[in-house]
Amino acid sequence: MKRILAVFFLLLQTVSVSQAQTGSSDYLRTNPKFLQSFRDVVQKSVPSVVRVQCDGIDCCLGIITSKDGWILTKAHDLKGKIVCKLADGRVFDAKVVGIDSTNDLAMLKIDARQLKPTTWAHGDHVRAGSWVASVGLTPDPVTVGVVSVPTRKVQEAYLGVMVEAAPNGLTVLQVLENSAAFKAGVRPRDLILRVNGKSFNDPESFAQFLSKHRPGDTIGLSVARGERTHDFKAKLQSRDDGGGFRAEFQNRLGSELSNRRSGYAVILQHDSVLKPSDCGGPLVDLQGRVIGINITRAGRVETWAIPAEIVQPLLAELKSGRLAPKEKKAE
Amino acid sequence: MRTLIFQRGMLLGLAIGILASAQPVLAQPVLPSAFGKAVPDSVRDLQEIEKHVQQLVDKVMPATVCLRIGQGQGSGVIIDRAGHILTAGHVSGKADQDAVIILPDGRKLKGKTLGANNGIDSGLVVITDKGDFPHLEMATSADLKRGQWCLSLGHPGGYKSGRAPVVRLGRVQDVNENTIITDCTLVGGDSGGPLFDMHGRVIGIHSRIGGKISSNVHVPIDTYRDTWTRLAASEVWGSPVPFFNFTRPAEAYLGVKATTDKMALKIVAITPNSPAEKAGLKANDAILKVDNQKLASVEDLSDFLKTRRPATEVTVHVQRGDQTIPIRVVLGQRPK
């Protein structure tokens, strides 16, 4: 299993850069003059953005995907009475017609016509370092940044053990409390003989095996303890379930994070600082093309979007009614 | 503080640099004019910046590495053919430890830690495998200006298979001999990673963060050059002082002696007349969270207090016996 290595946490300090220095916020991305340089870039997309409110509170943004009232948005935080506020001020009740839980997407239907739908870009590979602008309901973008990692598959299934190579398997050195391994019954000093029937002699190949799985997958572990052999079933966890308090602490410094930050399959990562309530809107490149839908503020250094090439094939299915949400919202 | 001097100034600085420096300073090509503006104000400026940065990423990525030392991992950058890697002092730690170096293409190399200056948080590692390694130049941090554009790479959250070093673009917010502050966001795992100027030269190494999203602190490159002999000779010196070049507001104070007990934070003793005593915290209480922040170790508590001011009220949620109790505490000021 993936060796649990603590990251070297950045030291913390209370930094107080004297704001009396001239123009000290000039060079931040939040400088309104800087955001204004992106105005032409987002101009075409603003009319396609809606504000989604749940029980009267700003929940997220949404994207008009066709002119007869289909709105794509982020699913996870939707609850209660949902309305969509358009750029022109009109407010409509919204119904959730379909949910794709892996990608955290929801399709809403509002009773409106003649809306301005967005056009999705074709999947050109967006390079790291490219500017991206997050669109809201204002003439200037809500925030801007650069692509940090080109579109990738997320690998994040955690077992929660530290292992080392042994002659006939892997010796468990440590089991994280509340981890998948712990819940399955694995304990320190166990010898992992086989995983899903395969034997592993080194931690790295085991880590690679795990990286092909997704959170929620169950794996079978054949474990020797003293004289006996045990067969355990471990349900792999996502990043949010596992330990790492210190990592979470640092991650939360300076900005609010989204409630759901894991379980995605393919994402586009950028360094924009986006409020969780501004997820669900379009992410555009410097040509103004919609290259994704912002889906989560995943950490201090990262905001994720579902790329356009993943979204587009899902739109018809989301509208069809075949992905209608269950009565009780499963968590 | 130094203010941004526009392009003419940068050329002048470069000319002086060539004349005055004891080391050869390679003449750098002139940057696109957008980088010289106080604030980019057109899509054309943005396009110039983007095109330049995209190419820069390709140039600097290959020399940006993940470092695994002991049970921890951080980041680093290779700066010469011999395979020396600049990193943070708190990443390299003690001298002569085994290090595993992971290149962006996934290749693993072996290395050893050399010296560190814990006072400024600089550290050095060297690759011990034979080979020809991608490497990058060091610039001069004495020339850095506020507003200067910079690029940050590293492995936030640790090395992730399938994820290249993570790119962030920002600008220098403040700079002095001991620190560079930029708005390139950093988080655990980035420690030791490189900060580049727009020529792709290393100007800083990631060290620490503050409570604000724009408080990202890097070790200036000049210290590596100035103390090279000591670092390369595996000397470890300096104490990790609270970094004294910034006016620090007084740190918040609770008044407990605590211990990390099985991934939980337990109070061992309450300091007399402290905010903790006044609020009714007791020895043997386990602190579960403060406000909405889960705490699981003494380090978590110490970090948390650094982000709060004296005289602010927090709610400390404790486990006492089989009860969970929220206790309001007015934090005090750390006594000298």
Side-chain angles (χ1 to χ4, degrees), chain A residues 6 8 11 13-14 17 24 29 127 130-131 148 155 245-246 250 300, chain B residues 50 54 58 72-73 161 167 169 186 188 191 208-209 216 296 303 306:
Chain A
F8 282 110
L11 308 178
Q13 75 169 74
T14 332
V17 178
S24 67
R29 287 188 184 161
R127 291 170 76 172
S130 306
W131 283 117
S148 292
Q155 293 169 358
F245 293 112
R246 198 123 191 257
Q250 285 208 343
R300 180 182 163 97
Chain B
E50 175 176 271
Q54 286 170 339
D58 289 344
Q73 53 178 335
S161 176
V167 174
L169 179 68
L186 303 174
S191 296
R208 52 205 183 269
I209 54 177
N216 305 281
D303 287 348
K306 286 197 182 102

PDB file of all heavy atoms in Angstrom, chain A residues 6 8 11 13-14 17 24 29 127 130-131 148 155 245-246 250 300, chain B residues 50 54 58 72-73 161 167 169 186 188 191 208-209 216 296 303 306:
ATOM      1  N   ALA A   6       4.729  11.682   5.722  1.00  0.00           N
ATOM      2  CA  ALA A   6       4.283  13.012   6.098  1.00  0.00           C
ATOM      3  C   ALA A   6       4.921  14.008   5.167  1.00  0.00           C
ATOM      4  O   ALA A   6       6.092  13.889   4.850  1.00  0.00           O
ATOM      5  CB  ALA A   6       4.692  13.288   7.538  1.00  0.00           C
ATOM      6  N   PHE A   8       6.631  17.550   4.469  1.00  0.00           N
ATOM      7  CA  PHE A   8       7.271  18.529   5.319  1.00  0.00           C
ATOM      8  C   PHE A   8       6.386  19.753   5.325  1.00  0.00           C
ATOM      9  O   PHE A   8       6.255  20.433   4.318  1.00  0.00           O
ATOM     10  CB  PHE A   8       8.666  18.876   4.805  1.00  0.00           C
ATOM     11  CG  PHE A   8       9.665  17.823   5.162  1.00  0.00           C
ATOM     12  CD1 PHE A   8      10.207  17.018   4.183  1.00  0.00           C
ATOM     13  CD2 PHE A   8      10.047  17.624   6.467  1.00  0.00           C
ATOM     14  CE1 PHE A   8      11.115  16.020   4.501  1.00  0.00           C
ATOM     15  CE2 PHE A   8      10.958  16.631   6.799  1.00  0.00           C
ATOM     16  CZ  PHE A   8      11.493  15.838   5.816  1.00  0.00           C
ATOM     17  N   LEU A  11       6.669  25.776   7.578  1.00  0.00           N
ATOM     18  CA  LEU A  11       6.621  26.398   8.895  1.00  0.00           C
ATOM     19  C   LEU A  11       5.530  27.450   8.860  1.00  0.00           C
ATOM     20  O   LEU A  11       5.178  27.950   7.809  1.00  0.00           O
ATOM     21  CB  LEU A  11       7.980  27.023   9.205  1.00  0.00           C
ATOM     22  CG  LEU A  11       9.157  26.051   9.013  1.00  0.00           C
ATOM     23  CD1 LEU A  11      10.475  26.743   9.277  1.00  0.00           C
ATOM     24  CD2 LEU A  11       9.002  24.844   9.923  1.00  0.00           C
ATOM     25  N   GLN A  13       4.095  31.133  10.233  1.00  0.00           N
ATOM     26  CA  GLN A  13       4.438  32.323  10.979  1.00  0.00           C
ATOM     27  C   GLN A  13       3.344  33.338  10.808  1.00  0.00           C
ATOM     28  O   GLN A  13       2.591  33.300   9.841  1.00  0.00           O
ATOM     29  CB  GLN A  13       5.766  32.904  10.508  1.00  0.00           C
ATOM     30  CG  GLN A  13       5.685  33.617   9.176  1.00  0.00           C
ATOM     31  CD  GLN A  13       6.947  34.388   8.892  1.00  0.00           C
ATOM     32  OE1 GLN A  13       7.968  33.828   8.578  1.00  0.00           O
ATOM     33  NE2 GLN A  13       6.863  35.685   9.025  1.00  0.00           N
ATOM     34  N   THR A  14       3.226  34.219  11.762  1.00  0.00           N
ATOM     35  CA  THR A  14       2.285  35.315  11.605  1.00  0.00           C
ATOM     36  C   THR A  14       3.014  36.385  10.827  1.00  0.00           C
ATOM     37  O   THR A  14       3.847  37.078  11.347  1.00  0.00           O
ATOM     38  CB  THR A  14       1.881  35.884  12.976  1.00  0.00           C
ATOM     39  OG1 THR A  14       1.975  34.861  13.927  1.00  0.00           O
ATOM     40  CG2 THR A  14       0.480  36.424  12.940  1.00  0.00           C
ATOM     41  N   VAL A  17       3.041  41.869   6.844  1.00  0.00           N
ATOM     42  CA  VAL A  17       3.717  42.807   5.944  1.00  0.00           C
ATOM     43  C   VAL A  17       3.034  44.145   6.108  1.00  0.00           C
ATOM     44  O   VAL A  17       1.835  44.252   5.967  1.00  0.00           O
ATOM     45  CB  VAL A  17       3.594  42.330   4.484  1.00  0.00           C
ATOM     46  CG1 VAL A  17       4.249  43.319   3.552  1.00  0.00           C
ATOM     47  CG2 VAL A  17       4.189  40.952   4.335  1.00  0.00           C
ATOM     48  N   SER A  24       0.847  48.253  -1.769  1.00  0.00           N
ATOM     49  CA  SER A  24       1.201  46.872  -1.480  1.00  0.00           C
ATOM     50  C   SER A  24       0.162  45.898  -2.002  1.00  0.00           C
ATOM     51  O   SER A  24       0.438  44.729  -2.108  1.00  0.00           O
ATOM     52  CB  SER A  24       1.404  46.677   0.013  1.00  0.00           C
ATOM     53  OG  SER A  24       0.174  46.846   0.665  1.00  0.00           O
ATOM     54  N   ARG A  29      -3.585  39.644  -7.254  1.00  0.00           N
ATOM     55  CA  ARG A  29      -4.535  39.357  -8.328  1.00  0.00           C
ATOM     56  C   ARG A  29      -5.882  40.008  -8.086  1.00  0.00           C
ATOM     57  O   ARG A  29      -6.683  40.121  -8.999  1.00  0.00           O
ATOM     58  CB  ARG A  29      -4.776  37.865  -8.374  1.00  0.00           C
ATOM     59  CG  ARG A  29      -3.616  37.146  -8.923  1.00  0.00           C
ATOM     60  CD  ARG A  29      -4.041  35.756  -9.096  1.00  0.00           C
ATOM     61  NE  ARG A  29      -2.929  34.953  -9.537  1.00  0.00           N
ATOM     62  CZ  ARG A  29      -2.890  33.658  -9.444  1.00  0.00           C
ATOM     63  NH1 ARG A  29      -3.914  33.039  -8.910  1.00  0.00           N
ATOM     64  NH2 ARG A  29      -1.869  32.997  -9.879  1.00  0.00           N
ATOM     65  N   ARG A 127      -2.234  24.024 -21.480  1.00  0.00           N
ATOM     66  CA  ARG A 127      -0.908  23.898 -20.887  1.00  0.00           C
ATOM     67  C   ARG A 127      -0.828  24.529 -19.514  1.00  0.00           C
ATOM     68  O   ARG A 127      -1.545  25.500 -19.220  1.00  0.00           O
ATOM     69  CB  ARG A 127       0.117  24.596 -21.769  1.00  0.00           C
ATOM     70  CG  ARG A 127       0.377  23.920 -23.082  1.00  0.00           C
ATOM     71  CD  ARG A 127       1.204  24.806 -23.972  1.00  0.00           C
ATOM     72  NE  ARG A 127       2.614  24.818 -23.556  1.00  0.00           N
ATOM     73  CZ  ARG A 127       3.570  25.397 -24.274  1.00  0.00           C
ATOM     74  NH1 ARG A 127       3.275  26.021 -25.389  1.00  0.00           N
ATOM     75  NH2 ARG A 127       4.815  25.388 -23.853  1.00  0.00           N
ATOM     76  N   SER A 130      -1.118  28.597 -18.468  1.00  0.00           N
ATOM     77  CA  SER A 130      -2.113  29.360 -19.230  1.00  0.00           C
ATOM     78  C   SER A 130      -3.005  30.129 -18.271  1.00  0.00           C
ATOM     79  O   SER A 130      -3.419  29.593 -17.241  1.00  0.00           O
ATOM     80  CB  SER A 130      -2.989  28.414 -20.054  1.00  0.00           C
ATOM     81  OG  SER A 130      -2.207  27.575 -20.864  1.00  0.00           O
ATOM     82  N   TRP A 131      -3.346  31.351 -18.633  1.00  0.00           N
ATOM     83  CA  TRP A 131      -4.300  32.119 -17.838  1.00  0.00           C
ATOM     84  C   TRP A 131      -5.679  31.460 -17.886  1.00  0.00           C
ATOM     85  O   TRP A 131      -6.088  30.950 -18.929  1.00  0.00           O
ATOM     86  CB  TRP A 131      -4.457  33.542 -18.377  1.00  0.00           C
ATOM     87  CG  TRP A 131      -3.346  34.492 -18.049  1.00  0.00           C
ATOM     88  CD1 TRP A 131      -2.520  35.108 -18.943  1.00  0.00           C
ATOM     89  CD2 TRP A 131      -2.955  34.974 -16.746  1.00  0.00           C
ATOM     90  NE1 TRP A 131      -1.636  35.934 -18.290  1.00  0.00           N
ATOM     91  CE2 TRP A 131      -1.877  35.879 -16.948  1.00  0.00           C
ATOM     92  CE3 TRP A 131      -3.409  34.744 -15.443  1.00  0.00           C
ATOM     93  CZ2 TRP A 131      -1.243  36.544 -15.898  1.00  0.00           C
ATOM     94  CZ3 TRP A 131      -2.772  35.407 -14.389  1.00  0.00           C
ATOM     95  CH2 TRP A 131      -1.704  36.293 -14.619  1.00  0.00           C
ATOM     96  N   SER A 148      -2.374  24.986 -13.238  1.00  0.00           N
ATOM     97  CA  SER A 148      -1.252  24.471 -12.450  1.00  0.00           C
ATOM     98  C   SER A 148      -0.790  23.104 -12.927  1.00  0.00           C
ATOM     99  O   SER A 148       0.397  22.785 -12.882  1.00  0.00           O
ATOM    100  CB  SER A 148      -1.660  24.353 -10.980  1.00  0.00           C
ATOM    101  OG  SER A 148      -1.859  25.626 -10.424  1.00  0.00           O
ATOM    102  N   GLN A 155      -5.730  10.308  -8.695  1.00  0.00           N
ATOM    103  CA  GLN A 155      -5.474   9.009  -8.078  1.00  0.00           C
ATOM    104  C   GLN A 155      -5.425   9.212  -6.574  1.00  0.00           C
ATOM    105  O   GLN A 155      -4.538   9.870  -6.071  1.00  0.00           O
ATOM    106  CB  GLN A 155      -4.151   8.436  -8.566  1.00  0.00           C
ATOM    107  CG  GLN A 155      -4.197   8.074 -10.027  1.00  0.00           C
ATOM    108  CD  GLN A 155      -2.824   7.763 -10.580  1.00  0.00           C
ATOM    109  OE1 GLN A 155      -1.842   7.856  -9.857  1.00  0.00           O
ATOM    110  NE2 GLN A 155      -2.755   7.389 -11.843  1.00  0.00           N
ATOM    111  N   PHE A 245      -4.261  15.693  10.035  1.00  0.00           N
ATOM    112  CA  PHE A 245      -4.826  16.925  10.571  1.00  0.00           C
ATOM    113  C   PHE A 245      -3.986  18.124  10.226  1.00  0.00           C
ATOM    114  O   PHE A 245      -4.497  19.189   9.926  1.00  0.00           O
ATOM    115  CB  PHE A 245      -4.964  16.827  12.091  1.00  0.00           C
ATOM    116  CG  PHE A 245      -5.968  15.811  12.515  1.00  0.00           C
ATOM    117  CD1 PHE A 245      -5.585  14.662  13.152  1.00  0.00           C
ATOM    118  CD2 PHE A 245      -7.316  16.017  12.252  1.00  0.00           C
ATOM    119  CE1 PHE A 245      -6.520  13.724  13.538  1.00  0.00           C
ATOM    120  CE2 PHE A 245      -8.249  15.075  12.633  1.00  0.00           C
ATOM    121  CZ  PHE A 245      -7.848  13.925  13.272  1.00  0.00           C
ATOM    122  N   ARG A 246      -2.671  17.921  10.292  1.00  0.00           N
ATOM    123  CA  ARG A 246      -1.797  19.064  10.067  1.00  0.00           C
ATOM    124  C   ARG A 246      -1.925  19.545   8.635  1.00  0.00           C
ATOM    125  O   ARG A 246      -1.935  20.729   8.359  1.00  0.00           O
ATOM    126  CB  ARG A 246      -0.364  18.648  10.388  1.00  0.00           C
ATOM    127  CG  ARG A 246       0.554  19.779  10.599  1.00  0.00           C
ATOM    128  CD  ARG A 246       1.229  19.718  11.958  1.00  0.00           C
ATOM    129  NE  ARG A 246       1.892  20.993  12.173  1.00  0.00           N
ATOM    130  CZ  ARG A 246       3.194  21.184  12.037  1.00  0.00           C
ATOM    131  NH1 ARG A 246       3.974  20.184  11.718  1.00  0.00           N
ATOM    132  NH2 ARG A 246       3.722  22.376  12.235  1.00  0.00           N
ATOM    133  N   GLN A 250      -3.133  23.372   7.463  1.00  0.00           N
ATOM    134  CA  GLN A 250      -2.446  24.295   6.560  1.00  0.00           C
ATOM    135  C   GLN A 250      -3.296  24.574   5.324  1.00  0.00           C
ATOM    136  O   GLN A 250      -3.339  25.698   4.835  1.00  0.00           O
ATOM    137  CB  GLN A 250      -1.098  23.711   6.133  1.00  0.00           C
ATOM    138  CG  GLN A 250      -0.047  23.773   7.215  1.00  0.00           C
ATOM    139  CD  GLN A 250       1.368  23.861   6.651  1.00  0.00           C
ATOM    140  OE1 GLN A 250       1.610  23.579   5.496  1.00  0.00           O
ATOM    141  NE2 GLN A 250       2.305  24.253   7.498  1.00  0.00           N
ATOM    142  N   ARG A 300      -5.542  25.058  -0.388  1.00  0.00           N
ATOM    143  CA  ARG A 300      -4.972  26.403  -0.363  1.00  0.00           C
ATOM    144  C   ARG A 300      -4.366  26.780  -1.712  1.00  0.00           C
ATOM    145  O   ARG A 300      -4.377  27.939  -2.106  1.00  0.00           O
ATOM    146  CB  ARG A 300      -3.906  26.490   0.741  1.00  0.00           C
ATOM    147  CG  ARG A 300      -3.240  27.865   0.859  1.00  0.00           C
ATOM    148  CD  ARG A 300      -2.174  27.866   1.937  1.00  0.00           C
ATOM    149  NE  ARG A 300      -1.267  28.988   1.816  1.00  0.00           N
ATOM    150  CZ  ARG A 300      -1.362  30.136   2.492  1.00  0.00           C
ATOM    151  NH1 ARG A 300      -2.342  30.307   3.354  1.00  0.00           N
ATOM    152  NH2 ARG A 300      -0.489  31.111   2.300  1.00  0.00           N
TER     153      ARG A 300
ATOM    154  N   GLU B  50       1.367  35.063 -20.846  1.00  0.00           N
ATOM    155  CA  GLU B  50       1.014  33.644 -20.942  1.00  0.00           C
ATOM    156  C   GLU B  50       2.006  32.882 -21.804  1.00  0.00           C
ATOM    157  O   GLU B  50       2.507  31.815 -21.416  1.00  0.00           O
ATOM    158  CB  GLU B  50      -0.399  33.497 -21.508  1.00  0.00           C
ATOM    159  CG  GLU B  50      -0.798  32.046 -21.742  1.00  0.00           C
ATOM    160  CD  GLU B  50      -2.232  31.930 -22.198  1.00  0.00           C
ATOM    161  OE1 GLU B  50      -3.118  31.830 -21.328  1.00  0.00           O
ATOM    162  OE2 GLU B  50      -2.467  31.926 -23.429  1.00  0.00           O
ATOM    163  N   GLN B  54       4.276  29.873 -20.296  1.00  0.00           N
ATOM    164  CA  GLN B  54       4.126  28.494 -20.782  1.00  0.00           C
ATOM    165  C   GLN B  54       5.482  27.906 -21.165  1.00  0.00           C
ATOM    166  O   GLN B  54       5.797  26.758 -20.840  1.00  0.00           O
ATOM    167  CB  GLN B  54       3.191  28.456 -21.997  1.00  0.00           C
ATOM    168  CG  GLN B  54       1.738  28.645 -21.651  1.00  0.00           C
ATOM    169  CD  GLN B  54       0.864  28.840 -22.881  1.00  0.00           C
ATOM    170  OE1 GLN B  54       1.357  29.220 -23.957  1.00  0.00           O
ATOM    171  NE2 GLN B  54      -0.419  28.580 -22.757  1.00  0.00           N
ATOM    172  N   ASP B  58       8.069  24.727 -19.215  1.00  0.00           N
ATOM    173  CA  ASP B  58       8.783  23.626 -19.868  1.00  0.00           C
ATOM    174  C   ASP B  58      10.260  23.655 -19.498  1.00  0.00           C
ATOM    175  O   ASP B  58      10.892  22.616 -19.346  1.00  0.00           O
ATOM    176  CB  ASP B  58       8.638  23.727 -21.388  1.00  0.00           C
ATOM    177  CG  ASP B  58       7.225  23.400 -21.845  1.00  0.00           C
ATOM    178  OD1 ASP B  58       6.461  22.805 -21.046  1.00  0.00           O
ATOM    179  OD2 ASP B  58       6.875  23.743 -22.989  1.00  0.00           O
ATOM    180  N   GLY B  72       9.579  11.821   5.859  1.00  0.00           N
ATOM    181  CA  GLY B  72       8.938  13.013   5.328  1.00  0.00           C
ATOM    182  C   GLY B  72       9.261  13.236   3.867  1.00  0.00           C
ATOM    183  O   GLY B  72      10.148  12.607   3.300  1.00  0.00           O
ATOM    184  N   GLN B  73       8.512  14.109   3.246  1.00  0.00           N
ATOM    185  CA  GLN B  73       8.824  14.476   1.871  1.00  0.00           C
ATOM    186  C   GLN B  73       8.573  15.949   1.641  1.00  0.00           C
ATOM    187  O   GLN B  73       7.662  16.550   2.212  1.00  0.00           O
ATOM    188  CB  GLN B  73       8.021  13.634   0.880  1.00  0.00           C
ATOM    189  CG  GLN B  73       6.536  13.632   1.099  1.00  0.00           C
ATOM    190  CD  GLN B  73       5.801  12.819   0.052  1.00  0.00           C
ATOM    191  OE1 GLN B  73       6.284  12.627  -1.056  1.00  0.00           O
ATOM    192  NE2 GLN B  73       4.611  12.350   0.385  1.00  0.00           N
ATOM    193  N   SER B 161       1.536  10.352  -7.876  1.00  0.00           N
ATOM    194  CA  SER B 161       1.769   9.702  -9.147  1.00  0.00           C
ATOM    195  C   SER B 161       0.786  10.234 -10.180  1.00  0.00           C
ATOM    196  O   SER B 161      -0.404  10.326  -9.919  1.00  0.00           O
ATOM    197  CB  SER B 161       1.578   8.196  -8.935  1.00  0.00           C
ATOM    198  OG  SER B 161       1.697   7.516 -10.139  1.00  0.00           O
ATOM    199  N   VAL B 167       2.240  24.153 -10.773  1.00  0.00           N
ATOM    200  CA  VAL B 167       2.691  25.486 -11.186  1.00  0.00           C
ATOM    201  C   VAL B 167       1.809  26.575 -10.599  1.00  0.00           C
ATOM    202  O   VAL B 167       0.576  26.470 -10.629  1.00  0.00           O
ATOM    203  CB  VAL B 167       2.645  25.585 -12.736  1.00  0.00           C
ATOM    204  CG1 VAL B 167       2.960  27.003 -13.205  1.00  0.00           C
ATOM    205  CG2 VAL B 167       3.609  24.583 -13.361  1.00  0.00           C
ATOM    206  N   LEU B 169       1.673  31.040 -10.488  1.00  0.00           N
ATOM    207  CA  LEU B 169       2.258  32.290 -10.980  1.00  0.00           C
ATOM    208  C   LEU B 169       1.899  33.409 -10.012  1.00  0.00           C
ATOM    209  O   LEU B 169       0.769  33.471  -9.524  1.00  0.00           O
ATOM    210  CB  LEU B 169       1.706  32.616 -12.373  1.00  0.00           C
ATOM    211  CG  LEU B 169       2.199  33.906 -13.037  1.00  0.00           C
ATOM    212  CD1 LEU B 169       3.677  33.807 -13.388  1.00  0.00           C
ATOM    213  CD2 LEU B 169       1.372  34.200 -14.292  1.00  0.00           C
ATOM    214  N   LEU B 186       1.362  28.483  -1.303  1.00  0.00           N
ATOM    215  CA  LEU B 186       2.137  27.302  -0.907  1.00  0.00           C
ATOM    216  C   LEU B 186       1.381  26.543   0.171  1.00  0.00           C
ATOM    217  O   LEU B 186       0.550  27.123   0.885  1.00  0.00           O
ATOM    218  CB  LEU B 186       3.487  27.721  -0.320  1.00  0.00           C
ATOM    219  CG  LEU B 186       4.417  28.587  -1.160  1.00  0.00           C
ATOM    220  CD1 LEU B 186       5.637  28.996  -0.325  1.00  0.00           C
ATOM    221  CD2 LEU B 186       4.853  27.848  -2.413  1.00  0.00           C
ATOM    222  N   GLY B 188       1.856  22.556   2.741  1.00  0.00           N
ATOM    223  CA  GLY B 188       2.746  21.461   3.111  1.00  0.00           C
ATOM    224  C   GLY B 188       3.079  20.562   1.933  1.00  0.00           C
ATOM    225  O   GLY B 188       2.189  20.166   1.199  1.00  0.00           O
ATOM    226  N   SER B 191       7.493  22.678   0.698  1.00  0.00           N
ATOM    227  CA  SER B 191       8.721  23.083   1.386  1.00  0.00           C
ATOM    228  C   SER B 191       9.956  22.689   0.601  1.00  0.00           C
ATOM    229  O   SER B 191      10.119  21.523   0.221  1.00  0.00           O
ATOM    230  CB  SER B 191       8.801  22.415   2.760  1.00  0.00           C
ATOM    231  OG  SER B 191       7.766  22.842   3.581  1.00  0.00           O
ATOM    232  N   ARG B 208       7.713  28.850   4.277  1.00  0.00           N
ATOM    233  CA  ARG B 208       6.637  28.906   5.258  1.00  0.00           C
ATOM    234  C   ARG B 208       5.482  29.764   4.770  1.00  0.00           C
ATOM    235  O   ARG B 208       5.577  30.452   3.767  1.00  0.00           O
ATOM    236  CB  ARG B 208       7.164  29.414   6.609  1.00  0.00           C
ATOM    237  CG  ARG B 208       7.935  30.709   6.530  1.00  0.00           C
ATOM    238  CD  ARG B 208       8.911  30.823   7.710  1.00  0.00           C
ATOM    239  NE  ARG B 208       9.613  32.085   7.702  1.00  0.00           N
ATOM    240  CZ  ARG B 208      10.777  32.280   7.090  1.00  0.00           C
ATOM    241  NH1 ARG B 208      11.370  31.291   6.449  1.00  0.00           N
ATOM    242  NH2 ARG B 208      11.352  33.466   7.130  1.00  0.00           N
ATOM    243  N   ILE B 209       4.378  29.655   5.496  1.00  0.00           N
ATOM    244  CA  ILE B 209       3.195  30.433   5.148  1.00  0.00           C
ATOM    245  C   ILE B 209       2.625  31.118   6.370  1.00  0.00           C
ATOM    246  O   ILE B 209       2.910  30.735   7.501  1.00  0.00           O
ATOM    247  CB  ILE B 209       2.089  29.552   4.507  1.00  0.00           C
ATOM    248  CG1 ILE B 209       1.759  28.353   5.416  1.00  0.00           C
ATOM    249  CG2 ILE B 209       2.483  29.103   3.120  1.00  0.00           C
ATOM    250  CD1 ILE B 209       0.636  27.476   4.889  1.00  0.00           C
ATOM    251  N   ASN B 216       3.077  33.986   1.599  1.00  0.00           N
ATOM    252  CA  ASN B 216       3.850  32.812   1.204  1.00  0.00           C
ATOM    253  C   ASN B 216       5.309  33.233   1.221  1.00  0.00           C
ATOM    254  O   ASN B 216       5.697  34.164   0.517  1.00  0.00           O
ATOM    255  CB  ASN B 216       3.427  32.354  -0.193  1.00  0.00           C
ATOM    256  CG  ASN B 216       1.931  32.121  -0.247  1.00  0.00           C
ATOM    257  OD1 ASN B 216       1.426  31.104   0.204  1.00  0.00           O
ATOM    258  ND2 ASN B 216       1.197  33.091  -0.786  1.00  0.00           N
ATOM    259  N   ALA B 296      -5.031  17.807  16.593  1.00  0.00           N
ATOM    260  CA  ALA B 296      -4.710  16.438  17.006  1.00  0.00           C
ATOM    261  C   ALA B 296      -3.325  16.316  17.603  1.00  0.00           C
ATOM    262  O   ALA B 296      -2.890  15.212  17.893  1.00  0.00           O
ATOM    263  CB  ALA B 296      -4.830  15.498  15.809  1.00  0.00           C
ATOM    264  N   ASP B 303       0.430  25.865  16.077  1.00  0.00           N
ATOM    265  CA  ASP B 303       0.140  26.506  14.797  1.00  0.00           C
ATOM    266  C   ASP B 303      -1.125  27.341  14.890  1.00  0.00           C
ATOM    267  O   ASP B 303      -1.198  28.446  14.358  1.00  0.00           O
ATOM    268  CB  ASP B 303      -0.058  25.441  13.699  1.00  0.00           C
ATOM    269  CG  ASP B 303       1.263  24.782  13.300  1.00  0.00           C
ATOM    270  OD1 ASP B 303       2.331  25.285  13.696  1.00  0.00           O
ATOM    271  OD2 ASP B 303       1.211  23.763  12.602  1.00  0.00           O
ATOM    272  N   LYS B 306      -0.785  30.639  16.571  1.00  0.00           N
ATOM    273  CA  LYS B 306      -0.054  31.624  15.763  1.00  0.00           C
ATOM    274  C   LYS B 306      -1.000  32.389  14.842  1.00  0.00           C
ATOM    275  O   LYS B 306      -0.660  33.447  14.339  1.00  0.00           O
ATOM    276  CB  LYS B 306       1.014  30.939  14.908  1.00  0.00           C
ATOM    277  CG  LYS B 306       2.226  30.469  15.684  1.00  0.00           C
ATOM    278  CD  LYS B 306       3.380  30.191  14.725  1.00  0.00           C
ATOM    279  CE  LYS B 306       4.595  29.675  15.444  1.00  0.00           C
ATOM    280  NZ  LYS B 306       4.779  28.232  15.334  1.00  0.00           N
TER     281      LYS B 306
END
